[in-house]
Amino acid sequence: MLRLAAFAVTSALAAAAAGPLPPLPLGRLLAPAPDRLTIAMADTGNRQLDREYRLECDPVGGDHPEAQQACARLDQLADEGKDPFAPVSQRQVCTMQHGGPATARITGTWHGHRVDATFRRTDGCEISRWDQLEPLLPSGRS
């Protein structure tokens, strides 16, 4: 035990004698990763929409048909403090309506967080959740 204490004191003295450490490149460590999402659409009733899209924000890129508007919508939701990829709460009461068979799966990274979310139009809550992401999710209405 005495040796461990002596080692700790010796190490601390050696570190102090070596001088301060160089500053960390915080800008590089703290810089947010770019938003990169893959949107896979199916069963929309429109063959042109039933495909996989890539979307990048900051800077805007990818092959999403409305990339600029989709990134702007995500920025707006972030400014409002909303997580657009959060599932519908199981406590929420939803209208029993069917918005069609369209599905979308969004995977990737958004604001430094991993995204893996599935969207359907199976009831009023899910339809609303989908609609709030337009134009990120191209219209799934048949």
Side-chain angles (χ1 to χ4, degrees), residues 99-124:
T103 62
R105 182 172 181 205
I106 302 175
T107 57
T109 305
W110 181 70
H111 283 216
H113 299 283
R114 293 186 65 94
V115 173
D116 189 349
T118 301
F119 291 78
R120 294 179 177 84
R121 300 179 66 81
T122 54
D123 62 38

Side-chain angles (χ1 to χ4, degrees), residues 53-116:
Y53 301 92
R54 288 179 301 101
L55 177 67
E56 297 176 8
C57 300
D58 297 320
V60 174
D63 63 354
H64 190 283
E66 296 183 60
Q68 188 73 39
Q69 297 89 336
C71 290
R73 180 63 180 143
L74 287 174
D75 287 343
Q76 178 185 10
L77 292 168
D79 290 345
E80 294 171 3
K82 296 179 181 176
D83 177 359
F85 307 108
V88 172
S89 169
Q90 292 193 1
R91 293 181 165 192
Q92 190 168 346
V93 177
C94 304
T95 59
M96 299 307 296
Q97 64 190 85
H98 187 68
T103 62
R105 182 172 181 205
I106 302 175
T107 57
T109 305
W110 181 70
H111 283 216
H113 299 283
R114 293 186 65 94
V115 173
D116 189 349

Side-chain angles (χ1 to χ4, degrees), residues 7 11 18 28 32 38 48 71-72 75 82 84 87 95 103 112 116 119 125 130 132 134:
F7 177 75
S11 296
R28 192 172 235 183
T38 300
Q48 293 176 337
C71 290
D75 287 343
K82 296 179 181 176
T95 59
T103 62
D116 189 349
F119 291 78
C125 295
W130 181 299
Q132 87 165 350
E134 286 187 33

